[in-house]
Amino acid sequence: MAVKDDYLIDTLVDMGLLTSEQVGEVRSDVEADSEGVIDTLVARGELMAESVTTAKAAQAGAEVVELAAMKLADDVIAAVPRNVVRRYKAIPIYQSEDTITMVLSDPSDLETIDGLQVALDKQVEIRVASETEIEEAIGRYYGRQREDSVGKMIQDITEGEVDIGGLGALEADDGIDVEADAPIIKLVNQLIVDAYNSRASDIHLEPMANTFRVRYRIDGVLHEIKSPPKALQASVISRLKIQSNMSISERRIPQDGRINTAVGEGKTVDLRVSCVPTTHGESIVMRILDKSGLRLGLAELGFFSDDQARFERLIALPDGILLVTGPTGSGKTTTLYSCLHFINRPDRKIITVEDPVEYQLDGINQVQVNESVGLSFAHALRAMLRQSPNIIMLGEIRDLETATIAINASLTGHLVFSTLHTNDAPSAVTRLVDIGIKPFLVASSTRAMMAQRLVRRLCAGCAAPYEPADSELNSIGIDAAAVDESNYRQGEGCPKCNSTGYRGRFGIFEVFVLDDDARKLIYDKAPVSTLRAKARELGMRTLREDGARKVIAGQTSVAEVLRVTVTDEG
């Protein structure tokens, strides 16, 4: 029995939490089966785990905290990376400029405390809770590690099952020993299936110096899972490159590919695969393209009824350009596909030009850009105009040539949908002018511009009524006194949402519909600030204002709106 345990036993006895008789009764058993006295007493139910925690805290002169009753601030959680929390099995509860308070299960573990101080570059103060409480809190605030089936499979794969020594020959011969690597094939398939079942949008496989990290992006947030050993890195990457029709002998340049695979009985998904060489190996990102997600109606996108009615009127116009703006990953493509699905009728011809075609849609002609044979956005757009379409969807306006053809198409009786990478709706005007389009053409062709972001939806299984502080509401522009009815809620975390409090995402929007006065401002080359003021005058809600409405309605949280929006000007 360790000296450390002797001191802890003495402390338990001194505090009246344990008797000398109880200790004496189990000493002979401990010597026989090599188990600790404390562990044996806890296992037998003669000693409460909470009593052990109290004694450890008393030894170190530290305070015991009840993590389950605490609501930890977002900035405190953000101050300590997930890998540090998991490595040291400690969670932060408070922070100041040069100090951070961490909760440990063993306050006498000086090695862990020193490691935290080095990793965080701050003075660390210690509080104490049981290991079970800490693990629950880590799962609640940092997300649980998704390692059920994948983790079991990784444990089953040993160096004896996979010919690690033969990887050099595999790379040199551009072949793969299917029999030797069958466990790798199963592992790769299970990674994809688990990601799909977890509702992930992306799978990230990232070679590090000593590890091979695997993460799923779920509802826009990355979650780390149990990763394969570094020794399996080359086999896993080679398997994915073969599935994606990439060259496994080429490891110096980026490559793109596509995988179509089964994820269940009668269910297949497409994966868009990107492979990029990095310092420690090739990094692979797989975007999961699930066609069932495209059958969203406009209401499912996140529109309130008034915005939905307004948007339906816009997409029913006979001509002009409708632009959807936002950064990568803000749901622009999904919104455009939902628009096409809404207006797709037998009496309309719809053609799209995309790079790549992410989803195949019934009843719509889709053209895949192929630069290697000279089929650019501009060439495809010119050709499609000779097909006499009613509606055109252009994946993205990237250059002057594409923008010019799209605008000419809108001025000759076509309805054109496209996307731009701008932060808000009025900035789309500036972007088009910067590309080289004359302001009068922008003014005459553009019908509306819509900016959007995605926020996480509160989990329906665990969202409960919540009374936010006035300062919290003020941060997104909500005046509590001016709100007649509210339904503020907060996700408490449950197995259904993996203890995050969120499940699924929806959009927040700002829609700028042009009128004659706005067109005149564009023609006169008015600055974005003037256009934005005009848009507000015409009834445009900003992204943050739309997000605030959805916080009041109990659909999302203040933290989510703050995460994806900036302070409104003016």
Side-chain angles (χ1 to χ4, degrees):
M1 184 170 50
V3 173
K4 190 175 177 181
D5 284 349
D6 280 334
Y7 284 134
L8 186 56
I9 289 171
D10 290 343
T11 303
L12 286 163
V13 172
D14 291 343
M15 295 178 68
L17 301 172
L18 192 63
T19 66
S20 300
E21 290 74 16
Q22 287 176 301
V23 176
E25 287 174 5
V26 299
R27 281 193 185 277
S28 57
D29 294 337
V30 168
E31 291 173 1
D33 59 20
S34 301
E35 290 183 6
V37 170
I38 293 173
D39 290 342
T40 303
L41 287 166
V42 170
R44 291 180 178 180
E46 296 179 40
L47 178 66
M48 300 295 291
E50 292 81 0
S51 298
V52 178
T53 300
T54 302
K56 286 179 177 179
Q59 274 188 321
E63 178 188 343
V64 177
V65 296
E66 189 177 349
L67 285 171
M70 300 178 75
K71 170 63 179 172
L72 306 187
D74 292 338
D75 62 329
V76 173
I77 296 301
V80 182
R82 181 184 285 108
N83 64 311
V84 172
V85 165
R86 294 199 187 285
R87 178 180 176 183
Y88 293 104
K89 294 183 179 177
I91 189 164
I93 55 173
Y94 309 114
Q95 72 165 339
S96 62
E97 188 174 340
D98 54 3
T99 303
I100 191 159
T101 303
M102 303 292 296
V103 181
L104 303 177
S105 61
D106 185 359
S108 64
D109 188 347
L110 299 180
E111 186 177 340
T112 293
I113 296 170
D114 289 343
L116 284 168
Q117 291 189 155
V118 171
L120 301 175
D121 193 24
K122 281 189 174 187
Q123 185 66 33
V124 174
E125 293 184 354
I126 297 302
R127 300 289 185 272
V128 185
S130 70
E131 191 170 338
T132 301
E133 282 185 286
I134 291 171
E135 287 176 354
E136 284 295 320
I138 290 173
R140 188 160 63 250
Y141 291 102
Y142 288 90
R144 301 188 189 279
Q145 287 185 296
R146 301 166 185 274
E147 52 185 59
D148 296 341
S149 49
V150 172
K152 290 174 185 175
M153 191 165 289
I154 289 171
Q155 287 180 348
D156 292 340
I157 298 178
T158 65
E159 293 190 9
E161 291 175 317
V162 180
D163 185 13
I164 301 300
L167 286 175
L170 177 141
E171 294 168 355
D173 297 337
D174 288 358
I176 190 165
D177 185 345
V178 175
E179 184 176 350
D181 280 85
I184 293 295
I185 294 173
K186 292 177 183 176
L187 172 61
V188 169
N189 291 343
Q190 193 62 51
L191 278 171
I192 295 171
V193 170
D194 277 10
Y196 175 78
N197 290 337
S198 298
R199 303 178 298 105
S201 59
D202 306 273
I203 306 171
H204 295 248
L205 297 97
E206 303 162 311
M208 302 287 123
N210 301 308
T211 58
F212 183 39
R213 184 167 66 177
V214 179
R215 296 189 288 176
Y216 296 158
R217 189 182 295 279
I218 302 169
D219 294 335
V221 177
L222 285 168
H223 296 267
E224 190 169 349
I225 70 164
K226 184 175 179 65
S227 301
K230 181 74 172 177
L232 300 184
Q233 175 179 310
S235 288
V236 170
I237 290 174
S238 292
R239 170 61 184 167
L240 286 168
K241 289 174 75 173
I242 288 170
Q243 280 186 284
S244 309
N245 293 318
M246 299 180 192
S247 170
I248 63 171
S249 62
E250 181 55 75
R251 295 184 293 278
R252 300 164 300 174
I253 60 173
Q255 298 185 72
D256 294 310
R258 203 173 182 113
I259 296 174
N260 182 274
T261 188
V263 291
E265 188 173 342
K267 177 67 179 177
T268 61
V269 295
D270 287 333
L271 294 100
R272 194 177 74 204
V273 186
S274 170
C275 179
V276 175
T278 67
T279 306
H280 301 294
E282 291 172 286
S283 172
I284 287 184
V285 176
M286 294 180 280
R287 168 66 61 87
I288 300 174
L289 308 173
D290 181 17
K291 298 173 189 175
S292 64
L294 288 176
R295 306 198 181 277
L296 294 174
L298 295 179
E300 285 77 17
L301 292 178
F303 286 110
F304 276 148
S305 57
D306 55 345
D307 284 337
Q308 181 178 335
R310 189 184 200 187
F311 196 65
E312 286 177 1
R313 288 195 297 272
L314 289 172
I315 63 178
L317 293 171
D319 56 32
I321 292 183
L322 176 63
L323 295 170
V324 179
T325 77
T328 300
S330 59
K332 300 187 298 295
T333 300
T334 299
T335 295
L336 290 184
Y337 277 139
S338 296
C339 292
L340 296 183
H341 182 71
F342 181 80
I343 60 179
N344 185 19
R345 298 203 306 258
D347 62 338
R348 292 175 174 174
K349 184 178 179 70
I350 302 174
I351 304 180
T352 73
V353 185
E354 303 169 68
D355 183 22
V357 173
E358 295 190 359
Y359 308 91
Q360 280 84 42
L361 300 174
D362 293 336
I364 294 175
N365 302 276
Q366 295 173 271
V367 178
Q368 168 73 58
V369 169
N370 188 348
E371 297 281 358
S372 62
V373 297
L375 184 60
S376 64
F377 268 106
H379 284 103
L381 194 50
R382 281 198 198 92
M384 72 176 1
L385 290 175
R386 293 192 287 272
Q387 295 279 310
S388 188
N390 300 103
I391 298 161
I392 296 168
M393 189 193 96
L394 188 58
E396 183 184 349
I397 293 180
R398 303 184 179 185
D399 52 44
L400 175 59
E401 187 178 15
T402 305
T404 300
I405 299 169
I407 283 178
N408 288 337
S410 71
L411 294 173
T412 54
H414 302 89
L415 181 60
V416 179
F417 294 98
S418 191
T419 69
L420 274 177
H421 287 270
T422 65
N423 289 328
D424 59 13
S427 295
V429 173
T430 306
R431 174 72 177 140
L432 288 174
V433 173
D434 286 344
I435 287 174
I437 300 298
K438 296 289 191 293
F440 77 90
L441 289 175
V442 176
S444 57
S445 62
T446 308
R447 296 288 178 263
M449 294 154 283
M450 182 177 78
Q452 70 175 67
R453 299 290 189 277
L454 293 177
V455 295
R456 290 183 291 175
R457 189 187 300 274
L458 293 174
C459 174
C462 65
Y466 168 65
E467 194 60 44
D470 287 347
S471 59
E472 189 178 358
L473 296 176
N474 290 339
S475 66
I476 59 170
I478 297 177
D479 181 359
V483 177
D484 294 329
E485 294 184 14
S486 62
N487 182 30
Y488 301 117
R489 297 193 303 160
Q490 179 174 268
E492 297 182 341
C494 66
K496 189 175 180 181
C497 63
N498 197 40
S499 298
T500 63
Y502 301 97
R503 183 177 173 85
R505 288 189 293 174
F506 65 97
I508 57 175
F509 310 93
E510 62 178 35
V511 184
F512 181 13
V513 181
L514 299 182
D515 69 352
D516 289 341
D517 291 339
R519 290 190 174 90
K520 187 176 187 308
L521 289 174
I522 295 172
Y523 181 81
D524 292 337
K525 301 182 182 179
V528 173
S529 57
T530 303
L531 284 173
R532 190 170 186 78
K534 182 62 181 177
R536 299 289 295 275
E537 185 184 317
L538 292 172
M540 181 189 83
R541 294 187 189 90
T542 65
L543 289 166
R544 181 162 286 192
E545 287 170 342
D546 193 45
R549 287 207 303 164
K550 288 160 185 175
V551 168
I552 293 170
Q555 297 178 355
T556 190
S557 67
V558 171
E560 274 298 288
V561 175
L562 287 173
R563 182 175 67 88
V564 302
T565 63
V566 296
T567 304
D568 294 331
E569 298 175 4

